[in-house]
Amino acid sequence: MRWRAAPAVARVRRSAGPLSRQLALVAVIGIAPVLVALVVASRLMVVSGHAAVLVAVVVLASGVLAFLGAMLIGGGILRDVEGIRDGLMSVGRGERDVRITTGARDELAELAVAANAMIADLQAEEAARDQSDSARRDLVAAVSHDLRTPITSLRLLAEAVGDNIVDGELRRVYIDRMRTHIDALSALIDDLFELSRLEAGDISWSLERVPLHELVGETVEAMRLQAEAKGVAVLTSVPDELSPAHANPEKLQRVLFNLIQNAIRHTPADGSVVVRAEPVAAGIEIEIADSGDGIAPEQREHVFTAFYRGGPDAARTGDGAGLGLAVSRAIVEAHGGRIWLADSPRGTRVRFSLPTAT
C-alpha cells in the first residue's frame, strides 16, 4: 500500500512547492478530519445548538493552536534546511571556510555534521593537492637548475676541446672536468630515479640480519680519507653486542654514506662527527652527530625535502644535488623506520630508527 501511494505523494509534494507550503498542507490535513468529524457528530447526535457552537469553537481554537504550533516548528525546520542549502551552495562556489549549524538536535543536525565533515575533507584534499602541485613545481625548477649548470659547463668544455682551442696538458684538464660533470649528472639522475621508485613503493630489495657494528665500521673507514682531507675526526660508538637490524645492507649503507658525508661537509676543520647506535624499545636508533654550526629552527622541518634550499647550503652543498637527505628518508621509511633531527645544544644530530632482526 505504501509503495502504491508513493508516486501520488510525490506528485502532491511537487504541486505544493516549497517546504513551507508542504508543512502548511500537513497542518491542514491534520485539522480537517477533526472538523469533519465534529460536523458529522453534530448531525447524528442530539446536541443543542449552543453546545454544538461551543464545541465547534473549542475544536476550532485547538486547530488554530495546532496549526500555529506546526508552522512554528516547521519554520525552524525550514530555516535549518535553508541553512544547509545555503552552506552547500557556498561550498559549490568555491568557499571553504563554511560552517553549517542547525537549531536542534535531530536528523538535520546530523546532516549538518556530515556536511561539515565533507567540507573539511574537501579542504584537506585541496590543500594536499596544492602542496603537491607546489612541490612538483619546485622539484622541476630545482632539477632544471641543477642540470643547467653542469650541462652548460660540459658544452663549453666540449666546444673548446672540439675546436682544438686547448691541447696538451690543458686538454687533459678539460677532459677531467668533463668527467666530473658527467659523474655529477649521473649521480643526480640515479638519485632522482631512486627517490621516485621509493616514493612510489616500488621496492624490490630483500631484508636480512645486518650487524651494525660491522656495517658502521666499514662505512666510516671508507670515508676516512674524505674526513682527514677536511680535518674532521669521525668516531663510532656501536656496542658489539647490539642486536642486528632487519634491513637491506646496501640501502642502509647508502643512508649512512649520505648522512656521514653531509655531516663532514658541514663540520669545520678540527671538528668531529660521531656515529652512534643503541637499542630502544621499538628497535634500534642510529645517530650521526657533528660539531658544525647546526641548522636554524625555521629550516629544520624542511631538511629532508628534496632540493630544499634554505640559507647558505642548509640542506645542500656545492658538491651535491640536495637529494641525499630525501633519499635517506625514503629508504628509512621503506624499512618501517623514521628519521628526524634530534635536539642538540651544538651542531646537528640526525637520528633514524630501524626494526630489530628477530
Side-chain angles (χ1 to χ4, degrees):
M1 184 66 180
R2 183 177 179 182
W3 178 81
R4 293 179 180 177
V9 172
R11 285 195 296 271
V12 172
R13 290 187 60 193
R14 284 195 296 268
S15 300
L19 275 178
S20 57
R21 294 182 183 176
Q22 295 184 43
L23 292 173
L25 179 61
V26 170
V28 170
I29 292 173
I31 296 173
V34 177
L35 295 176
V36 172
L38 175 63
V39 173
V40 172
S42 64
R43 295 292 184 181
L44 298 178
M45 298 176 61
V46 180
V47 181
S48 64
H50 178 73
V53 171
L54 180 61
V55 173
V57 170
V58 172
V59 172
L60 182 60
S62 300
V64 171
L65 291 176
F67 180 81
L68 293 176
M71 293 304 297
L72 182 62
I73 296 175
I77 295 174
L78 185 60
R79 285 191 295 272
D80 289 344
V81 172
E82 291 174 346
I84 296 173
R85 179 202 62 194
D86 294 342
L88 293 178
M89 290 180 66
S90 298
V91 174
R93 290 193 296 269
E95 300 179 23
R96 295 296 178 263
D97 56 345
V98 177
R99 180 68 180 176
I100 299 175
T101 59
T102 60
R105 298 179 180 178
D106 53 12
E107 287 80 357
L108 288 176
E110 295 176 357
L111 179 60
V113 170
N116 288 328
M118 180 201 69
I119 296 170
D121 291 342
L122 181 62
Q123 188 175 20
E125 290 177 1
E126 290 181 348
R129 183 190 62 199
D130 292 342
Q131 185 178 8
S132 176
D133 291 342
S134 176
R136 188 179 299 109
R137 288 192 297 269
D138 292 343
L139 179 62
V140 171
V143 171
S144 301
H145 175 274
D146 284 356
L147 287 175
R148 184 183 300 114
T149 300
I151 288 177
T152 301
S153 298
L154 277 173
R155 183 173 61 250
L156 294 175
L157 292 169
E159 290 175 354
V161 173
D163 295 340
N164 295 319
I165 297 176
V166 294
D167 55 11
E169 183 63 27
L170 187 58
R171 181 186 180 92
R172 285 192 293 272
V173 171
Y174 275 33
I175 292 176
D176 288 340
R177 290 180 182 175
M178 292 171 65
R179 291 196 185 100
T180 300
H181 289 306
I182 291 172
D183 291 341
L185 286 172
S186 178
L188 172 61
I189 293 170
D190 289 343
D191 283 344
L192 282 171
F193 182 68
E194 181 77 7
L195 184 62
S196 64
R197 289 184 57 187
L198 288 169
E199 292 186 341
D202 183 11
I203 301 170
S204 58
W205 25 272
S206 60
L207 303 179
E208 58 186 77
R209 296 168 61 89
V210 180
L212 290 178
H213 185 271
E214 298 178 6
L215 186 65
V216 170
E218 293 174 0
T219 307
V220 170
E221 191 60 33
M223 306 193 71
R224 187 76 65 186
L225 289 177
Q226 180 181 347
E228 291 177 352
K230 184 79 182 294
V232 176
V234 181
L235 310 173
T236 62
S237 177
V238 182
D240 294 340
E241 65 276 9
L242 184 66
S243 299
H246 188 56
N248 179 276
E250 289 78 15
K251 299 301 180 182
L252 179 55
Q253 190 168 53
R254 184 172 185 179
V255 173
L256 292 172
F257 268 127
N258 288 342
L259 298 181
I260 295 173
Q261 186 178 55
N262 202 56
I264 293 173
R265 287 173 177 170
H266 291 83
T267 301
D270 298 328
S272 63
V273 175
V274 181
V275 184
R276 301 183 180 90
E278 59 183 0
V280 294
I284 300 172
E285 287 187 3
I286 302 174
E287 176 183 287
I288 293 85
D290 64 61
S291 58
D293 295 332
I295 300 174
E298 65 274 11
Q299 299 169 354
R300 292 173 66 88
E301 63 177 314
H302 303 291
V303 296
F304 296 106
T305 302
F307 293 103
Y308 170 66
R309 304 169 188 264
D313 294 342
R316 55 185 288 131
T317 67
D319 299 328
L323 284 174
L325 292 180
V327 171
S328 298
R329 171 188 54 80
I331 292 176
V332 169
E333 292 178 353
H335 279 82
R338 68 185 187 96
I339 188 169
W340 70 97
L341 290 180
D343 293 334
S344 176
R346 180 188 178 192
T348 303
R349 293 171 58 210
V350 181
R351 292 182 71 90
F352 66 93
S353 61
L354 291 172
T356 304
T358 56

